[in-house]
Structures are given as C-alpha cells and as structure tokens.
Amino acid sequence: MPLVSMRQLLDEAAKGGYGVGAFNVNDMEQIQAIMGAAKETKSPVIIQASRGARQFAQDKYLFHLILAAAELNPEIPIAMHQDHGNSFETCKSAIDLGYTSVMMDGSLKEDGKTPASFEENVAVTKRVVDFAHERGVTVEGEIGVLGGVEDGHGAGGTGLEHVTDPDQAVEFAELTGVDALAIAIGTSHGAYKFSKKPDGSVLKMDVLIAIHKRLPNTHLVMHGSSSVPKDLQDVINQYGGKLKETWGVPVEEIQLGIRNGVRKINVDTDNRLAMTGAIRKVLWETPEKFDPRDYMKPAREAMQKVVAQRMTQFGQAGHAGDYQAVSIVEIAKGYKSGALSTQPLVAAK
Ligand code: G3H
Ligand code: 13P
Ligand code: ZN
C-alpha cells in the first residue's frame, strides 16, 4: 500500500472507535520494530519524525527507510508524519519530501520554547493548513502547551501550567480547519512526568471530554503519552543506569481518552527506555561483545514488544485490512470541494 493520508487513518479510527499510536523514529531499527509490531498485530500505523530525528538521520535516509517499510508491508496502512513542526518552512519541507501528514506546533514560537499568542498560533497553523490541504496532506495543530523539554523543544514546567481552554480549542479549530488537534491536559514529554501515579484528578480528562463534545469531528491527539512502565525503568537501573523514580500516563487514562475522541496517541519515551534497557543488559552481561548487531537486535525486539502492546491497548490491532488507501490526489479534491472540512471521509460511529 502506498503511504496513506493520516486523515484517512484517523477517520477510520473514529469509525471503529479506536486510537492509533504515533511512534517516533530516528533509525532503521525503530522503523523495523514498529513494522514488526504492526504485522504481528495487523495494525495501521503512524510513523513520525521530529525535527531532531530528521536532522540526526538525514531526511533522505529516514524517508526512504519508511518507503521501504511501505514496500515490504503492502497490507499495512502507514501515515508518515512530521512531529512538532516549529514553522511553516519545516512543515513545507516535510510535505515537499513526501510526508502525508504534518504537525504545525504553533503553541510555541519558532524557538520551540516560548509560548506563542493565540493569534500567532492561528496565523501560522492556517498558513500550513492552506498549503497542506491543497496537496492532500493532513494537518495536526496544538492548542495549550505541554510540559517538559525534549531535545530543546518544550516550554518546561509540569504540564499543568497551560492546560487547553475548551473555548479556545473550538475557536482555533474553526479558524484553522486542522484535521487533528493536540490538546494539553497535564502531560509532559520525556520520562519525568509525575512524581506519583496520576489519578483522574491530575490529568484533566474533564477538559478533554468537554472539547470532544464541542468538536466531535476533530480528531484529538494526546502527546506525552508514554506510560513509563516500572519494569522498563528497572531494567535500565539494574544494568548500571541511573533513572530517578517516575510515573507516566496510565494506559487506562489513554483508553478513557480514546472513548472520548482521542484518535492519535504519541509515544516515544517508552520505546527509548525499552531499547536502552536491552542494550545495557547485553553490554553489562557480556562486556566482551562489540558487534552492534549483538545489542541492536535485542533492542529492536524490546521496542517491538512495547509497540505491539500499545497497539493492542489502543485498539488499532486487527484493523490494518479494513480499508484501501484513498490517494492523496482524491483527498486534496475533498478538501477543495469543502467535503472534508465538515464531513469525515467515513462516518464515525
Ligand atoms: O516530541 C518529542 C518526541 O519525543 C521527539 O523527541 O525531539 O528528542 O526527537 P526529539
Ligand atoms: P513521550 O515523551 O511521552 O513518549 O511523548 C512523545 C510525544 O509526545 C512525541 O510528540
Ligand atoms: Zn509531542
């Protein structure tokens, strides 16, 4: 199957009442881990690359590795997504390369640190939407600001400092026409999200539910959604790591979100933890080894295990064969006629 539009993938998820994990990649082994998990669980997938990932791997390498994944797995719908685009130019460069979806994160200024004004966010996001939709490419926007800093990107703080205002979310969605909307409900990027297990009173699920009621056709996105499982932390610490005690987002909270309009769930940290633990274990137990395959293979397997588990928990497992790809050209026509601005590609349940 060719790369598919993320809009189609999320409209199908809405129809089926499930969520789709969006997993970050930087290299071949991570792409293979995701595809292994997608094959194993028969899941549609979103593969996403941050600006840092595009720089690390170099655009062409990463793009062609993902094309290889599509070529080798024709039965799996794959959307290729730019994570946290910081400017029109970043999003345009991803679209020019062939990404089928971009996130314009206008909640922060171009420096990726300073919260932007509502007006600035609307202006840059609308510009990306106009450019992307003309080419059939999906756009995710963000309103409200997440906590934490990853690779220099993020406003810092706890995640509860800039929780999304539902009125602003509605106005933002109407003014920009985004297909998907990331909202801030108290999560942060990275491993250090909470100092104790968060219950329903920590994560602002009421805000999420209020937004979904008012924007039933806009797919909601949860960033910072790694669960940071204790067993993955323990492996790292057992083999010489020094992680401090920490908690992530409980899977049950994500599942509550999925029942209330969350269609895309961003996970990176859990996979980083799984790979690092596996590498540490090999190097600790067999310090004489130096062939990268000896530790990259277990690292890839550890990531595949986490991804497959999330695919099952989010409900996307078993849905890879539900549909055929609609071409990006057809999708562009849908945006042009206005059909896709008010109607999903497929009716939600
Ligand atoms: O948004 C954060 C993702 O975990 C990507 O992180 O910018 O370090 O690649 P990164
Ligand atoms: P985590 O750090 O919780 O995995 O979040 C990843 C993310 O939101 C990528 O955009
Ligand atoms: Zn994010």
PDB file of all heavy atoms in Angstrom, residues 83-84 146 189 223-224 266, ligand 3:
ATOM      1  N   ASP A  83       6.496  15.367  13.283  1.00  0.00           N
ATOM      2  CA  ASP A  83       6.112  15.648  14.670  1.00  0.00           C
ATOM      3  C   ASP A  83       6.641  17.037  15.062  1.00  0.00           C
ATOM      4  O   ASP A  83       7.783  17.387  14.748  1.00  0.00           O
ATOM      5  CB  ASP A  83       6.747  14.558  15.564  1.00  0.00           C
ATOM      6  CG  ASP A  83       6.223  14.568  16.987  1.00  0.00           C
ATOM      7  OD1 ASP A  83       5.108  15.057  17.221  1.00  0.00           O
ATOM      8  OD2 ASP A  83       6.948  14.044  17.878  1.00  0.00           O
ATOM      9  N   HIS A  84       5.828  17.816  15.741  1.00  0.00           N
ATOM     10  CA  HIS A  84       6.221  19.139  16.266  1.00  0.00           C
ATOM     11  C   HIS A  84       6.962  20.032  15.258  1.00  0.00           C
ATOM     12  O   HIS A  84       8.065  20.515  15.551  1.00  0.00           O
ATOM     13  CB  HIS A  84       7.078  18.993  17.537  1.00  0.00           C
ATOM     14  CG  HIS A  84       6.315  18.454  18.708  1.00  0.00           C
ATOM     15  ND1 HIS A  84       5.406  19.196  19.413  1.00  0.00           N
ATOM     16  CD2 HIS A  84       6.276  17.222  19.262  1.00  0.00           C
ATOM     17  CE1 HIS A  84       4.854  18.446  20.370  1.00  0.00           C
ATOM     18  NE2 HIS A  84       5.349  17.243  20.286  1.00  0.00           N
ATOM     19  N   LEU A 146       2.220  21.721  26.309  1.00  0.00           N
ATOM     20  CA  LEU A 146       2.630  20.573  27.125  1.00  0.00           C
ATOM     21  C   LEU A 146       3.762  20.954  28.065  1.00  0.00           C
ATOM     22  O   LEU A 146       4.447  21.950  27.839  1.00  0.00           O
ATOM     23  CB  LEU A 146       3.126  19.438  26.212  1.00  0.00           C
ATOM     24  CG  LEU A 146       2.120  18.311  26.008  1.00  0.00           C
ATOM     25  CD1 LEU A 146       1.034  18.742  25.065  1.00  0.00           C
ATOM     26  CD2 LEU A 146       2.806  17.061  25.544  1.00  0.00           C
ATOM     27  N   HIS A 189       6.358  15.846  27.865  1.00  0.00           N
ATOM     28  CA  HIS A 189       7.259  14.962  27.123  1.00  0.00           C
ATOM     29  C   HIS A 189       8.327  14.399  28.069  1.00  0.00           C
ATOM     30  O   HIS A 189       8.630  15.000  29.089  1.00  0.00           O
ATOM     31  CB  HIS A 189       7.951  15.737  25.996  1.00  0.00           C
ATOM     32  CG  HIS A 189       7.023  16.090  24.874  1.00  0.00           C
ATOM     33  ND1 HIS A 189       6.796  17.376  24.473  1.00  0.00           N
ATOM     34  CD2 HIS A 189       6.263  15.314  24.082  1.00  0.00           C
ATOM     35  CE1 HIS A 189       5.930  17.368  23.458  1.00  0.00           C
ATOM     36  NE2 HIS A 189       5.590  16.134  23.207  1.00  0.00           N
ATOM     37  N   HIS A 223      -0.351  14.037  23.314  1.00  0.00           N
ATOM     38  CA  HIS A 223       1.117  13.969  23.303  1.00  0.00           C
ATOM     39  C   HIS A 223       1.589  13.529  24.689  1.00  0.00           C
ATOM     40  O   HIS A 223       0.781  13.433  25.616  1.00  0.00           O
ATOM     41  CB  HIS A 223       1.710  15.342  22.972  1.00  0.00           C
ATOM     42  CG  HIS A 223       1.694  15.646  21.515  1.00  0.00           C
ATOM     43  ND1 HIS A 223       2.834  15.764  20.766  1.00  0.00           N
ATOM     44  CD2 HIS A 223       0.655  15.830  20.669  1.00  0.00           C
ATOM     45  CE1 HIS A 223       2.490  16.020  19.507  1.00  0.00           C
ATOM     46  NE2 HIS A 223       1.172  16.068  19.426  1.00  0.00           N
ATOM     47  N   GLY A 224       2.879  13.287  24.792  1.00  0.00           N
ATOM     48  CA  GLY A 224       3.450  12.929  26.092  1.00  0.00           C
ATOM     49  C   GLY A 224       2.744  11.743  26.712  1.00  0.00           C
ATOM     50  O   GLY A 224       2.491  11.715  27.914  1.00  0.00           O
ATOM     51  N   ASN A 266       0.692   9.839  21.038  1.00  0.00           N
ATOM     52  CA  ASN A 266       2.130   9.930  20.764  1.00  0.00           C
ATOM     53  C   ASN A 266       2.963   9.219  21.827  1.00  0.00           C
ATOM     54  O   ASN A 266       2.848   9.529  23.017  1.00  0.00           O
ATOM     55  CB  ASN A 266       2.551  11.403  20.728  1.00  0.00           C
ATOM     56  CG  ASN A 266       2.181  12.082  19.448  1.00  0.00           C
ATOM     57  OD1 ASN A 266       1.290  11.622  18.732  1.00  0.00           O
ATOM     58  ND2 ASN A 266       2.853  13.169  19.134  1.00  0.00           N
TER      59      ASN A 266
HETATM   60 ZN    ZN B   3       4.766  15.625  21.400  1.00  0.00          ZN
END
